[in-house]
Amino acid sequence: MLLGFKKLTLFFIYLTISFSCCWIYVQSEDNEVITCSNIVQLQHRTDNISLTDFGGVGDGKTLNTKAFKEAIYRISHLAQREGGTTLYIPPGVFLTEPFNLTSHMTLHLAAGAVIKATQDSSNWPLIAPLPSYGRGRERPGGRYMSFIHGDGLQDVVITGDNGTIDGQGDAWWNMWRNRTLQFTRPNLVEFVNSKDIIISNVIFKDSPFWNIHPVYCSNVVVRFATILAPRDSPNTDGIDPDSSSNVCIEDSYISTGDDLVAVKSGWDEYGIAYGRPSSNITIRRVTGSSPFAGIAIGSEASGGVENILAEHINLNNMGIGIHIKTNIGRGGYIKNISISHVYMENARKGIKISGDVGDHADDKYDHNALPIVKGITIVNVWGVKVLQAGLIKGIKNSPFSDICLSDINLHGVNGTRSRTPSWMCSDVVGVAHEVSPWPCSELISQKLGSCANY
């Protein structure tokens, strides 16, 4: 059972109003909402300081890098009370260069508080590439440090009263479009080799690259987050758990230029060698919009991905609703994936499970490293205005197996006919039960029961 949490029955009712969808769910008899957020206990901080105590000025013009560094130095190096310290960011716009967090701290943004990234990249620190990627994701060599960064930390909270962390990413997007990037763009928030992380009640805006990236982490909660970027902003994934375990993503709204949630675990031969999978990840009650995927797994999944639960997902104006993606040379595995109770409206494709997606880090990848995709269960999916219901394209010498589709209704646009078949499949073994339109012949019809019995 994922994350060791008991399953409770939810009655899930979708209401569609003016191209939007909202849900009503009934709580359990003891009024307990299903949540995985208790994998990390929120610590009571006994020490409280304000950025203004260190000379912080929230006028949107003054550079506050020194104030942030001195405040965090105080938390990490000076005597701190048991329970850690809260760094309070008052209302105002606090411009700053990138900075590192420290253990046993809470970064609290008040209502009206904005931590804004400078657009001057000349002083932006460079850090080494992740070992599971072997190089920067976009460019060879190192990569720019994330705007808010943490490495080797424990017990860190980013929260507040819906204050904003603004990456001012348009300058970085333009460098990417103009092909003038020297190194891989920075994430907005990244934790590396860290544990016991909570991110909640904050707005993340205009990230230069991926928004929230926990990599080589454990025990991570992202809840009540709002993540925003224009639809044409390149590679602005919402939340990317990467070679991480015990991750809880709940009750969040994401509207970006790339996948809303993408589970990863390293790239080609580097991810295979590093060998750290992503596992035990729950994604629940996430709403959003993107020209790419709502729930994505891969394509960088060379370290393996397993035990993923995604449920009660509400998607609008999507490229692909559910996308599981890998490629020859990736190696690794994607297995024990359970996705249920998904509503989507206005999507180019409903479900895509594909073995030919994603580029390669370099030409040293192993052409014989075939990924294993096995044990994919997708049930209770409803879609309207979906141009193509689904595509499942396995790999010839490594067919996808134990694929189970049940209680799926994906409807096209009324009054129009598509030249593309509603389903296209190859190199796949699995079953289908109550799927409309009826999927491809490669999936065996299961007249009784559902995927749970397969």
Side-chain angles (χ1 to χ4, degrees):
M1 185 176 296
L2 291 180
L3 301 181
F5 299 115
K6 62 183 180 180
K7 290 189 177 180
L8 302 175
T9 302
L10 287 180
F11 297 95
F12 197 85
I13 304 172
Y14 290 108
L15 302 177
T16 305
I17 303 174
S18 300
F19 303 105
S20 66
C21 175
C22 58
W23 63 68
I24 299 172
Y25 58 90
V26 178
Q27 297 172 336
S28 60
E29 292 182 359
D30 56 0
N31 287 326
E32 179 185 1
V33 174
I34 296 177
T35 180
C36 52
S37 60
N38 53 6
I39 62 172
V40 182
Q41 296 301 313
L42 184 63
Q43 301 297 321
H44 174 65
R45 307 298 189 200
T46 56
D47 189 21
N48 297 278
I49 59 176
S50 173
L51 189 68
T52 56
D53 299 337
F54 300 85
V57 178
D59 61 2
K61 299 178 181 178
T62 302
L63 198 61
N64 289 275
T65 308
K66 185 170 183 266
F68 275 103
K69 289 183 176 180
E70 289 184 354
I72 294 169
Y73 180 90
R74 187 266 189 205
I75 297 171
S76 63
H77 288 83
L78 301 182
Q80 56 180 321
R81 299 174 186 174
E82 184 179 356
T85 300
T86 294
L87 174 57
Y88 176 76
I89 312 301
V93 180
F94 294 88
L95 186 69
T96 179
E97 294 172 327
F99 59 91
N100 287 282
L101 301 178
T102 191
S103 295
H104 309 297
M105 74 167 287
T106 294
L107 180 66
H108 185 103
L109 287 79
V114 180
I115 302 175
K116 180 174 283 191
T118 176
Q119 289 192 313
D120 180 5
S121 61
S122 60
N123 292 325
W124 208 286
L126 285 172
I127 57 176
L130 293 166
S132 59
Y133 284 75
R135 47 159 282 181
R137 184 58 186 84
E138 295 182 293
R139 300 285 298 162
R143 59 200 185 101
Y144 291 104
M145 188 181 87
S146 63
F147 176 50
I148 297 179
H149 196 75
D151 193 343
L153 305 185
Q154 181 178 0
D155 176 27
V156 180
V157 179
I158 300 176
T159 189
D161 304 305
N162 286 320
T164 299
I165 296 174
D166 184 353
Q168 291 210 96
D170 55 332
W172 296 96
W173 308 334
N174 287 334
M175 281 191 281
W176 179 86
R177 293 177 182 123
N178 296 330
R179 299 184 178 182
T180 58
L181 273 173
Q182 292 183 303
F183 302 96
T184 295
R185 285 173 286 160
N187 303 308
L188 191 58
V189 176
E190 181 178 74
F191 287 97
V192 185
N193 291 312
S194 300
K195 62 181 180 179
D196 301 330
I197 307 297
I198 298 176
I199 299 173
S200 70
N201 299 95
V202 172
I203 298 169
F204 300 88
K205 178 184 176 186
D206 292 347
S207 175
F209 194 52
W210 301 342
N211 276 269
I212 299 174
H213 185 219
V215 57
Y216 319 142
C217 290
S218 62
N219 301 340
V220 178
V221 173
V222 181
R223 198 175 188 212
F224 303 124
T226 301
I227 302 175
L228 305 172
R231 286 181 69 87
D232 63 349
S233 57
N235 309 105
T236 51
D237 295 23
I239 306 169
D240 286 4
D242 197 341
S243 292
S244 294
S245 60
N246 296 339
V247 179
C248 172
I249 300 168
E250 288 185 334
D251 303 301
S252 294
Y253 177 81
I254 307 171
S255 179
T256 61
D258 213 312
D259 299 337
L260 305 186
V261 178
V263 181
K264 302 175 181 291
S265 67
W267 199 9
D268 288 355
E269 69 270 27
Y270 305 104
I272 295 171
Y274 196 74
R276 180 161 177 174
S278 280
S279 63
N280 297 344
I281 296 174
T282 297
I283 307 159
R284 181 185 287 122
R285 296 186 298 272
V286 169
T287 300
S289 174
S290 167
F292 287 87
I295 302 300
I297 297 174
S299 66
E300 305 92 342
S302 300
V305 174
E306 62 184 339
N307 301 340
I308 310 298
L309 170 65
E311 60 182 5
H312 305 297
I313 309 298
N314 179 22
L315 306 171
N316 189 33
N317 294 326
M318 298 301 304
I320 303 170
I322 300 164
H323 195 185
I324 298 171
K325 45 186 174 175
T326 185
N327 205 344
I328 294 172
R330 287 285 190 265
Y333 55 83
I334 297 173
K335 62 183 181 180
N336 195 18
I337 312 298
S338 177
I339 301 174
S340 68
H341 295 95
V342 178
Y343 176 88
M344 64 183 77
E345 183 172 357
N346 289 327
R348 188 176 70 252
K349 199 180 304 291
I351 298 168
K352 185 177 181 181
I353 307 175
S354 47
D356 60 352
V357 175
D359 55 354
H360 298 287
D362 51 41
D363 58 4
K364 298 176 184 178
Y365 71 95
D366 182 359
H367 291 72
N368 295 316
L370 302 181
I372 296 171
V373 177
K374 181 178 182 180
I376 311 297
T377 299
I378 303 175
V379 301
N380 295 321
V381 178
W382 185 272
V384 296
K385 299 180 182 178
V386 178
L387 295 183
Q388 184 183 26
L391 182 148
I392 306 176
K393 186 176 182 180
I395 297 172
K396 184 176 181 181
N397 294 319
S398 184
F400 300 166
S401 61
D402 295 355
I403 307 298
C404 305
L405 308 179
S406 179
D407 299 299
I408 296 174
N409 289 273
L410 297 169
H411 302 283
V413 179
N414 291 335
T416 63
R417 289 186 177 182
S418 174
R419 296 181 180 179
T420 305
S422 57
W423 283 88
M424 297 177 66
C425 300
S426 62
D427 298 299
V428 57
V429 178
V431 298
H433 170 74
E434 297 292 337
V435 177
S436 176
W438 187 249
C440 30
S441 59
E442 288 85 349
L443 299 179
I444 300 170
S445 171
Q446 188 182 55
K447 296 182 180 179
L448 297 174
S450 67
C451 291
N453 298 322
Y454 179 67

